[in-house]
Amino acid sequence: TGNILVDFVFEVSVDGQEPYRAEAQETITQLVIPQVQPDCEIEVRVDPAARQSVVLDPKLTPSGYGR
């Protein structure tokens, strides 16, 4: 199985804040494609100082957060 580069558009929900849209480009393995379909819910990490800076759940990427 190979890795692919995907452009994501997220609707981010953070407790106590209005939902907002953010974009990220991530490398994922082909095995996780079923888990990242439109309208699915996945975990992301959000930089509180730069809300547009989001990182996909490390379980879905070949290198985790250390990319």
mmCIF file of all heavy atoms in Angstrom, residues 40-63:
data_model
loop_
_atom_site.group_PDB
_atom_site.id
_atom_site.type_symbol
_atom_site.label_atom_id
_atom_site.label_comp_id
_atom_site.label_asym_id
_atom_site.label_seq_id
_atom_site.Cartn_x
_atom_site.Cartn_y
_atom_site.Cartn_z
ATOM 1 N N CYS A 40 -17.357 12.705 7.465
ATOM 2 C CA CYS A 40 -17.000 11.857 8.593
ATOM 3 C C CYS A 40 -16.403 12.727 9.696
ATOM 4 O O CYS A 40 -16.008 13.867 9.469
ATOM 5 C CB CYS A 40 -16.024 10.761 8.179
ATOM 6 S SG CYS A 40 -14.374 11.352 7.788
ATOM 7 N N GLU A 41 -16.376 12.207 10.900
ATOM 8 C CA GLU A 41 -15.775 12.917 12.027
ATOM 9 C C GLU A 41 -14.432 12.285 12.329
ATOM 10 O O GLU A 41 -14.334 11.073 12.491
ATOM 11 C CB GLU A 41 -16.673 12.836 13.259
ATOM 12 C CG GLU A 41 -17.925 13.647 13.110
ATOM 13 C CD GLU A 41 -18.722 13.727 14.405
ATOM 14 O OE1 GLU A 41 -18.145 13.496 15.487
ATOM 15 O OE2 GLU A 41 -19.909 14.024 14.319
ATOM 16 N N ILE A 42 -13.397 13.124 12.382
ATOM 17 C CA ILE A 42 -12.060 12.664 12.735
ATOM 18 C C ILE A 42 -11.441 13.654 13.710
ATOM 19 O O ILE A 42 -11.852 14.806 13.784
ATOM 20 C CB ILE A 42 -11.148 12.489 11.495
ATOM 21 C CG1 ILE A 42 -11.031 13.802 10.716
ATOM 22 C CG2 ILE A 42 -11.638 11.376 10.605
ATOM 23 C CD1 ILE A 42 -10.043 13.740 9.582
ATOM 24 N N GLU A 43 -10.472 13.169 14.453
ATOM 25 C CA GLU A 43 -9.777 14.029 15.416
ATOM 26 C C GLU A 43 -8.719 14.849 14.696
ATOM 27 O O GLU A 43 -8.034 14.349 13.797
ATOM 28 C CB GLU A 43 -9.109 13.160 16.480
ATOM 29 C CG GLU A 43 -10.073 12.307 17.253
ATOM 30 C CD GLU A 43 -10.334 12.826 18.646
ATOM 31 O OE1 GLU A 43 -9.542 13.644 19.141
ATOM 32 O OE2 GLU A 43 -11.338 12.419 19.211
ATOM 33 N N VAL A 44 -8.597 16.095 15.098
ATOM 34 C CA VAL A 44 -7.507 16.958 14.642
ATOM 35 C C VAL A 44 -6.949 17.685 15.851
ATOM 36 O O VAL A 44 -7.615 17.798 16.876
ATOM 37 C CB VAL A 44 -7.965 17.988 13.568
ATOM 38 C CG1 VAL A 44 -8.429 17.302 12.313
ATOM 39 C CG2 VAL A 44 -9.035 18.920 14.098
ATOM 40 N N ARG A 45 -5.738 18.145 15.722
ATOM 41 C CA ARG A 45 -5.163 19.024 16.735
ATOM 42 C C ARG A 45 -5.187 20.428 16.175
ATOM 43 O O ARG A 45 -4.878 20.648 15.012
ATOM 44 C CB ARG A 45 -3.729 18.627 17.065
ATOM 45 C CG ARG A 45 -3.663 17.404 17.925
ATOM 46 C CD ARG A 45 -2.330 17.305 18.579
ATOM 47 N NE ARG A 45 -2.317 16.161 19.475
ATOM 48 C CZ ARG A 45 -1.273 15.783 20.150
ATOM 49 N NH1 ARG A 45 -0.131 16.443 20.029
ATOM 50 N NH2 ARG A 45 -1.341 14.754 20.945
ATOM 51 N N VAL A 46 -5.548 21.373 17.027
ATOM 52 C CA VAL A 46 -5.671 22.773 16.632
ATOM 53 C C VAL A 46 -4.663 23.590 17.424
ATOM 54 O O VAL A 46 -4.548 23.438 18.646
ATOM 55 C CB VAL A 46 -7.102 23.293 16.911
ATOM 56 C CG1 VAL A 46 -7.218 24.759 16.574
ATOM 57 C CG2 VAL A 46 -8.133 22.476 16.153
ATOM 58 N N ASP A 47 -3.948 24.462 16.737
ATOM 59 C CA ASP A 47 -3.036 25.388 17.403
ATOM 60 C C ASP A 47 -3.877 26.543 17.948
ATOM 61 O O ASP A 47 -4.466 27.280 17.172
ATOM 62 C CB ASP A 47 -2.000 25.902 16.396
ATOM 63 C CG ASP A 47 -0.995 26.861 17.008
ATOM 64 O OD1 ASP A 47 -1.244 27.383 18.126
ATOM 65 O OD2 ASP A 47 0.031 27.102 16.360
ATOM 66 N N PRO A 48 -3.988 26.706 19.263
ATOM 67 C CA PRO A 48 -4.835 27.763 19.819
ATOM 68 C C PRO A 48 -4.405 29.165 19.391
ATOM 69 O O PRO A 48 -5.223 30.071 19.335
ATOM 70 C CB PRO A 48 -4.721 27.602 21.334
ATOM 71 C CG PRO A 48 -3.874 26.431 21.590
ATOM 72 C CD PRO A 48 -3.331 25.923 20.292
ATOM 73 N N ALA A 49 -3.132 29.349 19.077
ATOM 74 C CA ALA A 49 -2.641 30.661 18.661
ATOM 75 C C ALA A 49 -2.872 30.915 17.173
ATOM 76 O O ALA A 49 -2.808 32.051 16.728
ATOM 77 C CB ALA A 49 -1.155 30.787 18.982
ATOM 78 N N ALA A 50 -3.145 29.844 16.410
ATOM 79 C CA ALA A 50 -3.375 29.962 14.967
ATOM 80 C C ALA A 50 -4.436 28.932 14.582
ATOM 81 O O ALA A 50 -4.120 27.827 14.158
ATOM 82 C CB ALA A 50 -2.087 29.731 14.189
ATOM 83 N N ARG A 51 -5.686 29.289 14.785
ATOM 84 C CA ARG A 51 -6.789 28.340 14.636
ATOM 85 C C ARG A 51 -6.833 27.656 13.276
ATOM 86 O O ARG A 51 -7.360 26.562 13.157
ATOM 87 C CB ARG A 51 -8.132 29.041 14.876
ATOM 88 C CG ARG A 51 -8.333 29.449 16.297
ATOM 89 C CD ARG A 51 -9.632 30.208 16.555
ATOM 90 N NE ARG A 51 -10.537 30.324 15.452
ATOM 91 C CZ ARG A 51 -11.842 30.047 15.511
ATOM 92 N NH1 ARG A 51 -12.378 29.666 16.636
ATOM 93 N NH2 ARG A 51 -12.609 30.205 14.462
ATOM 94 N N GLN A 52 -6.296 28.265 12.243
ATOM 95 C CA GLN A 52 -6.301 27.648 10.920
ATOM 96 C C GLN A 52 -5.250 26.547 10.804
ATOM 97 O O GLN A 52 -5.255 25.783 9.843
ATOM 98 C CB GLN A 52 -6.085 28.695 9.824
ATOM 99 C CG GLN A 52 -7.251 29.645 9.684
ATOM 100 C CD GLN A 52 -8.543 28.923 9.306
ATOM 101 O OE1 GLN A 52 -8.552 28.080 8.421
ATOM 102 N NE2 GLN A 52 -9.614 29.250 9.983
ATOM 103 N N SER A 53 -4.372 26.452 11.776
ATOM 104 C CA SER A 53 -3.331 25.432 11.765
ATOM 105 C C SER A 53 -3.861 24.184 12.458
ATOM 106 O O SER A 53 -3.954 24.125 13.683
ATOM 107 C CB SER A 53 -2.084 25.954 12.481
ATOM 108 O OG SER A 53 -1.087 24.973 12.475
ATOM 109 N N VAL A 54 -4.260 23.195 11.639
ATOM 110 C CA VAL A 54 -4.785 21.940 12.176
ATOM 111 C C VAL A 54 -3.945 20.782 11.649
ATOM 112 O O VAL A 54 -3.383 20.852 10.564
ATOM 113 C CB VAL A 54 -6.270 21.723 11.812
ATOM 114 C CG1 VAL A 54 -7.144 22.772 12.434
ATOM 115 C CG2 VAL A 54 -6.478 21.679 10.313
ATOM 116 N N VAL A 55 -3.861 19.726 12.450
ATOM 117 C CA VAL A 55 -3.110 18.528 12.087
ATOM 118 C C VAL A 55 -4.031 17.335 12.268
ATOM 119 O O VAL A 55 -4.708 17.204 13.295
ATOM 120 C CB VAL A 55 -1.849 18.377 12.964
ATOM 121 C CG1 VAL A 55 -1.082 17.118 12.605
ATOM 122 C CG2 VAL A 55 -0.956 19.594 12.829
ATOM 123 N N LEU A 56 -4.036 16.467 11.289
ATOM 124 C CA LEU A 56 -4.867 15.275 11.283
ATOM 125 C C LEU A 56 -4.446 14.293 12.373
ATOM 126 O O LEU A 56 -3.272 14.225 12.747
ATOM 127 C CB LEU A 56 -4.738 14.624 9.907
ATOM 128 C CG LEU A 56 -5.664 13.492 9.528
ATOM 129 C CD1 LEU A 56 -7.097 13.983 9.439
ATOM 130 C CD2 LEU A 56 -5.238 12.915 8.184
ATOM 131 N N ASP A 57 -5.402 13.514 12.859
ATOM 132 C CA ASP A 57 -5.155 12.449 13.828
ATOM 133 C C ASP A 57 -3.942 11.618 13.385
ATOM 134 O O ASP A 57 -3.910 11.127 12.263
ATOM 135 C CB ASP A 57 -6.401 11.580 13.902
ATOM 136 C CG ASP A 57 -6.316 10.458 14.914
ATOM 137 O OD1 ASP A 57 -5.205 10.084 15.343
ATOM 138 O OD2 ASP A 57 -7.374 9.927 15.275
ATOM 139 N N PRO A 58 -2.926 11.437 14.242
ATOM 140 C CA PRO A 58 -1.710 10.728 13.827
ATOM 141 C C PRO A 58 -1.942 9.269 13.453
ATOM 142 O O PRO A 58 -1.145 8.685 12.735
ATOM 143 C CB PRO A 58 -0.790 10.855 15.033
ATOM 144 C CG PRO A 58 -1.694 11.041 16.188
ATOM 145 C CD PRO A 58 -2.867 11.822 15.651
ATOM 146 N N LYS A 59 -3.032 8.666 13.930
ATOM 147 C CA LYS A 59 -3.310 7.277 13.571
ATOM 148 C C LYS A 59 -3.645 7.135 12.080
ATOM 149 O O LYS A 59 -3.593 6.053 11.534
ATOM 150 C CB LYS A 59 -4.471 6.731 14.411
ATOM 151 C CG LYS A 59 -4.151 6.630 15.902
ATOM 152 C CD LYS A 59 -5.314 6.056 16.675
ATOM 153 C CE LYS A 59 -6.521 6.915 16.639
ATOM 154 N NZ LYS A 59 -6.769 7.814 17.705
ATOM 155 N N LEU A 60 -3.965 8.255 11.424
ATOM 156 C CA LEU A 60 -4.341 8.211 10.023
ATOM 157 C C LEU A 60 -3.191 8.581 9.081
ATOM 158 O O LEU A 60 -3.333 8.538 7.882
ATOM 159 C CB LEU A 60 -5.519 9.151 9.770
ATOM 160 C CG LEU A 60 -6.771 8.878 10.596
ATOM 161 C CD1 LEU A 60 -7.824 9.941 10.335
ATOM 162 C CD2 LEU A 60 -7.328 7.498 10.280
ATOM 163 N N THR A 61 -2.051 8.947 9.663
ATOM 164 C CA THR A 61 -0.917 9.381 8.840
ATOM 165 C C THR A 61 0.256 8.423 9.039
ATOM 166 O O THR A 61 0.417 7.845 10.129
ATOM 167 C CB THR A 61 -0.480 10.808 9.199
ATOM 168 O OG1 THR A 61 -0.005 10.828 10.527
ATOM 169 C CG2 THR A 61 -1.621 11.802 9.046
ATOM 170 N N PRO A 62 1.089 8.258 8.040
ATOM 171 C CA PRO A 62 2.212 7.333 8.186
ATOM 172 C C PRO A 62 3.291 7.800 9.151
ATOM 173 O O PRO A 62 4.047 6.998 9.688
ATOM 174 C CB PRO A 62 2.776 7.216 6.765
ATOM 175 C CG PRO A 62 2.278 8.406 6.033
ATOM 176 C CD PRO A 62 0.999 8.818 6.701
ATOM 177 N N SER A 63 3.358 9.102 9.431
ATOM 178 C CA SER A 63 4.430 9.602 10.298
ATOM 179 C C SER A 63 3.938 10.234 11.582
ATOM 180 O O SER A 63 4.715 10.822 12.316
ATOM 181 C CB SER A 63 5.267 10.621 9.519
ATOM 182 O OG SER A 63 4.440 11.693 9.078
#
